[in-house]
Amino acid sequence: MLAIRFHGRGGQGAKTASRIVGTAAFLEGFAAQDSPIYGAERRGAPVAAFTRIARAPIRDRGIIVHPDVVIVADVSLISDPAARVLQGVDEKAVVFINSSLSPEELATQASLSGHVTSLDLTEAALQHVGKRGAISALLGAVAGRLVGLRHESIHHAIARELAELGLAPSVIEQNQTAARQCYETVPVVALEPITRRAAASETLRTPVYEPPTRGTAGITVGANSAIRSVGGWRTFRPVLRPDLCNGCWLCFANCPEGAITIKPDGRPAIYYPHCKGCLDCVEVCPTDALTVEREAAATSKT
Ligand code: SF4
Ligand code: SF4
């Protein structure tokens, strides 16, 4: 497996770049996984995104702690402690930096470990796209080149991902042209996949499951639904068939109204004055223990 970590500033396109590489890898028949991480951030704040590529199904989840390749969209991020650009980067990792400086200059200036390579993507974007900031296609192209993906796959992935963002075909074409230039000119560093040299020392951990009572919302404050009946909203109502219930509590955990409680015997009970009839509980029930009855028919029985 190859693990690529992207660092950028909000608006530069790190997230889209991770998607472009993931899509390109997928088009080449690899298993791929891409995901971003950012909070309630604003434009310009450090963001990161992650792409994993493998021949086999990818079971790792979450952030990439030991990257094979790090793609840095903005050189100023390296000295930003909040961005943690160099976290987990060792001497075998490849670090790409969007910069007009040479790899040697960057390695010296920033005391970087790993193999450093660079290219001025911002200049390429200005030449071909004429818009400052978003260099997602170029980041994706460089990352794809460094991990050995074909240009055709990158080309198609750019079209697909940028179209999803609503970009005009002419703008997508400009991005593809700039991306091709970057793909062909980025200095390539031989990649030594480090994946799982870290994994060898890591042990699998068994997750600890908490009962849903720990994490399920309950409305207890006055003037909320605790005192407001929503039972009159129903057109259909869920009805429990206790003989089919396996006590999994999925209905309890998914009810948005807190209308389901768990009885001492571990089985659910529906409190109809707080049940609005959304039938989410019916949807999630794995054993069909919750059936649906039309409200008029149900009330005539009760
Ligand atoms: S129908 Fe909706 S509101 Fe009623 S118990 Fe099921 S999930 Fe809760
Ligand atoms: S989801 Fe279905 S099986 Fe699970 S506790 Fe609720 S009624 Fe029972």
Side-chain angles (χ1 to χ4, degrees):
M1 185 172 76
L2 283 172
I4 311 164
R5 196 170 73 205
F6 295 80
H7 292 275
R9 297 199 173 278
Q12 286 181 320
K15 172 192 161 192
T16 304
S18 76
R19 289 185 59 92
I20 288 169
V21 178
T23 299
F26 180 75
L27 292 173
E28 290 192 21
F30 291 95
Q33 180 196 82
D34 52 66
S35 59
I37 184 167
Y38 45 77
E41 293 292 10
R42 55 199 179 279
R43 199 174 179 85
V47 298
F50 313 96
T51 305
R52 293 183 172 93
I53 300 171
R55 286 276 175 215
I58 299 169
R59 306 208 187 282
D60 287 17
R61 293 288 184 275
I63 65 170
I64 291 171
V65 179
H66 299 287
D68 297 293
V69 177
V70 175
I71 303 288
V72 186
D74 188 321
V75 72
S76 69
L77 288 165
I78 293 175
S79 53
D80 184 339
R84 300 182 185 178
V85 169
L86 300 179
Q87 188 179 46
V89 172
D90 65 15
E91 71 287 350
K92 290 189 177 175
V94 173
V95 180
F96 168 83
I97 302 169
N98 171 27
S99 170
S100 57
L101 297 180
S102 70
E104 295 73 27
E105 288 171 313
L106 287 164
T108 310
Q109 276 188 16
S111 310
L112 297 174
S113 54
H115 304 287
V116 180
T117 180
S118 66
L119 190 67
D120 192 348
L121 304 188
T122 309
E123 181 58 30
L126 285 170
Q127 276 178 19
H128 296 281
V129 189
K131 189 179 172 194
R132 281 180 299 144
I135 50 173
S136 53
L138 317 194
L139 292 167
V142 164
R145 178 74 180 96
L146 293 176
V147 299
L149 295 175
R150 291 197 299 268
H151 174 258
E152 296 70 37
S153 323
I154 300 282
H155 187 82
H156 290 308
I158 290 171
R160 192 182 287 195
E161 295 301 330
L162 297 192
E164 237 178 64
L165 295 178
L167 269 64
S170 60
V171 178
I172 294 174
E173 221 171 278
Q174 290 166 348
N175 274 277
Q176 287 171 316
T177 305
R180 174 167 207 125
Q181 179 186 310
C182 297
Y183 183 91
E184 289 172 349
T185 55
V186 63
V188 176
V189 182
L191 190 59
E192 278 180 74
I194 59 165
T195 313
R196 306 354 53 193
R197 61 175 184 258
S201 62
E202 289 166 4
T203 49
L204 288 175
R205 291 180 201 155
T206 305
V208 178
Y209 291 101
E210 298 279 10
T213 40
R214 294 288 295 273
T216 305
I219 299 170
T220 54
V221 178
N224 283 301
S225 64
I227 59 170
R228 185 179 180 201
S229 167
V230 293
W233 297 5
R234 286 192 307 269
T235 306
F236 298 95
R237 68 162 59 186
V239 176
L240 179 68
R241 282 195 55 189
D243 55 316
L244 294 180
C245 174
N246 67 9
C248 70
W249 295 11
L250 280 174
C251 54
F252 165 76
N254 281 274
C255 175
E257 294 296 319
I260 299 178
T261 53
I262 301 298
K263 296 186 292 185
D265 68 356
R267 295 293 186 266
I270 301 167
Y271 183 58
Y272 287 106
H274 288 169
C275 167
K276 65 184 177 186
C278 65
L279 304 181
D280 283 1
C281 52
V282 178
E283 288 293 323
V284 298
C285 178
T287 63
D288 293 331
L290 288 164
T291 56
V292 178
E293 287 190 16
R294 193 168 171 181
E295 188 55 29
T299 45
S300 67
K301 280 194 270 171
T302 56

